[in-house]
Amino acid sequence: LAAGAIIVMSILLAFAIDRTSESYREGREEAALHGGLAGDFQKSRDDLLRYRARREAELAHTVTTLEALSAEEGKLPRDSLDYLLGRLYTGGTFEPRMATLDQVQSSGRAEVIRDTELRTLIAEWRLATADVLDTQGRWLRMLENQIYPMLVGFGISDPALSLSLPPSTHGRLTIEPAMAARLDAQLRQYARMVEALRDDLSAAAVATDAVLVELTPAPEP
């Protein structure tokens, strides 16, 4: 009986040691994962804020151009259009930083993220960034298919590379009434698109902040 008890106790002790060792390994792996996630999400947050600032500036200059176009009745101040073109060409697109998430998914070790709240927040972040990418795609298509061709109509040979405008009188670009109406309609539509993209970027930034808060370890008492 004593020998049997010793054997059983040895087996139970071995299981306990194994569980403790596995828990320790998982804890270290999760801590390393959290560190990688925190780095990726912080970079994503920086990118989101930077691109949102660009779109806010672009929206402001688009509105300024619309106001100038309306006030001048087809005679657009040259600097107003120059500013707008400068905003259009700041370019750049947002791409979420997902290296750590992709690595976890490809390795089939998603269960390493044991924090259910963190999983929920990451899922919400994925949805928010998917909205950004969708709106961003429509914004780019509008630039390429509507705005750039319209600018070519003003005599700009290559809107992606050149900001040169046709000759103007007294620093103003005279636009034919039909073209002025078309420009006004296109820019209003474009302003709504830029506003939607800015709002999606803001929502994604909020979702990113929520993930970062969950990843931040609580201060020790």
Side-chain angles (χ1 to χ4, degrees):
L1 289 176
I6 291 174
I7 292 173
V8 171
M9 291 179 62
S10 299
I11 294 173
L12 293 176
L13 180 60
F15 282 148
I17 292 173
D18 185 63
R19 283 196 301 270
T20 302
S21 177
E22 183 177 356
S23 178
Y24 176 72
R25 287 196 303 271
E26 289 179 351
R28 292 191 62 181
E29 186 177 359
E30 186 175 24
L33 173 61
H34 281 201
L37 288 173
D40 287 350
F41 276 91
Q42 184 60 55
K43 291 176 182 177
S44 286
R45 182 181 184 278
D46 294 342
D47 290 343
L48 282 164
L49 296 181
R50 181 167 60 254
Y51 289 123
R52 185 180 66 181
R54 290 180 180 178
R55 301 289 74 83
E56 286 175 342
E58 183 178 357
L59 179 61
H61 286 305
T62 302
V63 171
T64 298
T65 303
L66 282 167
E67 292 173 348
L69 182 64
S70 175
E72 297 296 331
E73 297 182 348
K75 293 184 178 180
L76 191 65
R78 193 179 176 93
D79 59 354
S80 177
L81 191 54
D82 278 336
Y83 275 128
L84 174 62
L85 296 177
R87 292 302 94 198
L88 292 177
Y89 304 132
T90 55
T93 56
F94 169 71
E95 293 294 336
R97 308 294 184 110
M98 300 181 62
T100 304
L101 280 176
D102 289 343
Q103 183 179 3
V104 171
Q105 185 175 3
S106 63
S107 66
R109 295 281 290 164
E111 72 279 359
V112 174
I113 304 177
R114 294 177 288 184
D115 186 338
T116 55
E117 179 65 16
L118 178 58
R119 288 190 181 192
T120 299
L121 292 173
I122 289 176
E124 293 173 353
W125 175 82
R126 285 183 182 274
L127 291 175
T129 53
D131 287 342
V132 170
L133 296 178
D134 178 69
T135 306
Q136 182 173 258
R138 290 186 286 116
W139 165 71
L140 286 172
R141 288 192 294 273
M142 188 173 188
L143 269 179
E144 295 170 356
N145 300 330
Q146 294 177 239
I147 302 301
Y148 288 165
M150 178 185 63
L151 295 178
V152 171
F154 287 113
I156 302 173
S157 59
D158 187 352
L161 300 174
S162 172
L163 297 181
S164 60
L165 297 174
S168 59
T169 304
H170 303 298
R172 300 184 183 277
L173 178 65
T174 302
I175 306 172
E176 296 179 359
M179 182 66 78
R182 179 181 170 222
L183 175 62
D184 182 88
Q186 291 279 15
L187 288 182
R188 289 183 186 279
Q189 184 181 0
Y190 186 69
R192 289 192 291 271
M193 176 64 73
V194 176
E195 187 175 16
L197 179 55
R198 179 204 60 188
D199 292 345
D200 283 350
L201 288 166
S202 296
V206 171
T208 304
D209 285 340
V211 174
L212 284 170
V213 169
E214 188 68 18
L215 287 169
T216 303
E220 296 182 1

